[in-house]
Amino acid sequence: MSNGIKNKVVVITGASSGLGECTARHLSKLGAILVLGARRAERLQSLVADIEKQGGIAIAVATDVTRKAQVEALLKAAVDKFGRIDVLLNNAGLMQQSRLDSLKTDEWDNMIDVNLKGTLYGIAAALPYMQAQKSGHIINVSSVAGHKVTPAGSVYCATKHAVRAISEGLRSEVKAWNLRTTIISPGAVATELTDHITEKDIGQGIRDFYQQHAVGADSFARVVEFAICQPAEVDINEILYRPTSQEL
């Protein structure tokens, strides 16, 4: 099935670490042409250098997904350099966990800006190009938290539920342009995601849970591969997966 990826132009946000970095490396080995966006420009450039050493093709564009103009510049860079966008992976995400009565409104704003508005900005930037070329695939990252609401996770869960709702709305609206849409909802995956939790007791509990159950980021990369590699007439709309040991 990897022949469905070779020479496709794939744009990935949040590509400097975790799910994004692992997916970039994996898709490059399958022949994808990568346009990588993230805030940490040095790490992004290092990733591009590694991919090029392995014979892959990639460019880096410093991108803060909370800045609409920067997301637009990322997608424009893909078209300017490679002439099209075949896949957009809206991967950038932030998980900050706290009880609502902790009143961490700055953290609520952060998650809404990155998880929700960042996804919307990616869709808005990609759609005109994909509609013009009458092809394309938008993959949005939700979470098990987009299916369940957990204590201390109210706002994070809300953003991930919203990603699913937006993605389903997008799916129903883009059929006239032959576009595909996929929601990927991972369970516990070993990344830096838990590092952003500022509540010490909650953060430690979640990190202990991840240490016990989390699977590697390569699991996510393989799911992305599966979604992309389907025949053109097959649209994998949603994938929810967990570590086998995860009950939640």
Side-chain angles (χ1 to χ4, degrees), residues 1 8 27 50 82 116 122 134 144 158 171 173 204 212 228-229:
M1 287 173 54
K8 282 194 172 179
L27 296 185
D50 285 349
F82 301 113
L116 182 50
K134 291 191 179 298
V144 168
R171 182 201 64 78
E173 294 177 6
Q204 190 58 54
Q212 182 178 357
I228 295 173
C229 282

Side-chain angles (χ1 to χ4, degrees), residues 102-160:
S102 295
L103 303 180
K104 295 202 170 187
T105 56
D106 287 347
E107 294 187 358
W108 303 350
D109 288 339
N110 291 341
M111 288 184 283
I112 290 167
D113 287 344
V114 174
N115 300 347
L116 182 50
K117 292 171 70 175
T119 297
L120 285 168
Y121 291 159
I123 292 169
L127 267 182
Y129 297 117
M130 291 183 174
Q131 287 173 322
Q133 65 195 25
K134 291 191 179 298
S135 67
H137 190 172
I138 295 176
I139 303 174
N140 295 328
V141 181
S142 180
S143 168
V144 168
H147 298 255
K148 293 178 173 288
V149 180
T150 57
S154 301
V155 178
Y156 176 68
C157 294
T159 64
K160 291 303 187 176

Side-chain angles (χ1 to χ4, degrees), residues 46-127:
S46 177
L47 173 58
V48 167
D50 285 349
I51 288 171
E52 291 177 338
K53 285 178 185 176
Q54 299 298 318
I57 301 173
I59 62 171
V61 181
T63 308
D64 180 346
V65 298
T66 70
R67 307 283 181 159
K68 179 172 175 284
Q70 291 189 24
V71 180
E72 291 171 343
L74 172 67
L75 276 293
K76 185 176 185 299
V79 175
D80 287 349
K81 180 72 173 179
F82 301 113
R84 66 187 191 279
I85 303 162
D86 295 308
V87 181
L88 167 63
L89 174 57
N90 272 318
N91 166 72
L94 179 65
M95 183 176 75
Q96 294 177 301
Q97 304 270 306
S98 64
R99 288 171 51 90
L100 289 173
D101 57 11
S102 295
L103 303 180
K104 295 202 170 187
T105 56
D106 287 347
E107 294 187 358
W108 303 350
D109 288 339
N110 291 341
M111 288 184 283
I112 290 167
D113 287 344
V114 174
N115 300 347
L116 182 50
K117 292 171 70 175
T119 297
L120 285 168
Y121 291 159
I123 292 169
L127 267 182

Side-chain angles (χ1 to χ4, degrees), residues 164-176:
R164 291 182 61 228
I166 290 165
S167 300
E168 173 59 15
L170 176 67
R171 182 201 64 78
S172 68
E173 294 177 6
V174 298
K175 300 295 102 179

